[in-house]
Amino acid sequence: LQEKIAIDTFDTGETLTEKLSLLGSRMIVEFLEVFSSGKMVYTKQESRLASYAAILKKEDGLINWKMSNYEILYRIKGLKPWPSAYTFLGEKIIKIHDASIAEGFEDNFKEPGFCIKIGKRFFVKCGKGMVEIKACSLRVKIKLTFCPFLTAADNWKEHFLNDKNRTINFIG
């Protein structure tokens, strides 16, 4: 038995787990019926189409801001709920729960990881393009739909994500 499932733009590791568990529970019933009837048709897997997925480690969640905005967005979505995408702001770990592609910005200024605060919105420069951080937290247990510790950064003047020993101007 084999079925395809659509991956939507807004899907995350969490939503795909739910979709796949529903599909799997329906397919196991179908499998048992076909198997017990003796009418099972076996199909050999094509090795050239198979891929290996390594076991995820916590370190896999560290965002490399040199990646493109789409690669970073898909990483954030794919690593939710575990190991979770994260970055550093100085010594603090910030878990990124949700983000979107930021449109309408010049792509040729500053370096990847550079932060821009516009009102209560928070943007980060990527290797190509930018992402807007939609939900993040300093601690796993407190998920914030916007990032008050980032957006209330009036007293912050210099920040650069993922480099504990470096600062760069924070525009805001």
Side-chain angles (χ1 to χ4, degrees):
L1 298 174
Q2 181 176 341
E3 283 195 35
K4 292 184 178 183
I5 190 166
I7 299 175
D8 299 321
T9 306
F10 299 104
D11 273 330
T12 65
E14 254 176 339
T15 60
L16 282 175
T17 297
E18 185 174 333
K19 282 182 176 182
L20 290 170
S21 68
L22 293 172
L23 176 64
S25 63
R26 184 178 53 74
M27 287 184 72
I28 194 76
V29 172
E30 187 179 338
F31 165 79
L32 292 171
E33 289 171 358
V34 173
F35 183 76
S36 63
S37 73
K39 297 178 182 177
M40 182 59 98
V41 177
Y42 297 93
T43 306
K44 185 174 178 165
Q45 179 174 315
E46 292 187 48
S47 297
R48 65 181 181 82
L49 298 176
S51 59
Y52 173 76
I55 294 175
L56 291 174
K57 302 179 294 276
K58 184 177 178 181
E59 305 82 56
D60 293 329
L62 180 62
I63 297 172
N64 177 356
W65 294 107
K66 292 178 183 176
M67 297 167 74
S68 77
N69 53 357
Y70 282 95
E71 290 173 301
I72 290 171
L73 179 65
Y74 297 144
R75 186 170 203 79
I76 291 167
K77 291 178 177 296
L79 296 176
K80 182 178 179 179
W82 196 89
S84 296
Y86 66 93
T87 190
F88 287 94
L89 183 62
E91 295 292 322
K92 295 178 180 148
I93 294 176
I94 298 174
K95 288 198 176 231
I96 309 293
H97 302 286
D98 193 18
S100 64
I101 300 298
E103 304 288 346
F105 287 95
E106 291 290 324
D107 193 18
N108 56 358
F109 74 97
K110 301 299 179 186
E111 299 173 53
F114 190 75
C115 309
I116 300 169
K117 181 182 77 128
I118 301 174
K120 292 192 176 211
R121 297 172 69 191
F122 186 75
F123 303 88
V124 182
K125 171 77 171 88
C126 305
K128 181 177 181 187
M130 297 182 72
V131 292
E132 179 178 359
I133 305 301
K134 298 282 193 176
C136 58
S137 64
L138 280 171
R139 295 183 185 92
V140 178
K141 296 179 183 177
I142 306 170
K143 179 180 167 187
L144 306 168
T145 55
F146 66 99
C147 306
F149 57 91
L150 297 177
T151 59
D154 295 334
N155 58 335
W156 299 357
K157 295 299 176 206
E158 300 183 336
H159 287 289
F160 192 88
L161 297 180
N162 268 3
D163 194 337
K164 295 178 186 178
N165 301 314
R166 176 179 176 181
T167 59
I168 197 161
N169 289 331
F170 184 103
I171 299 174

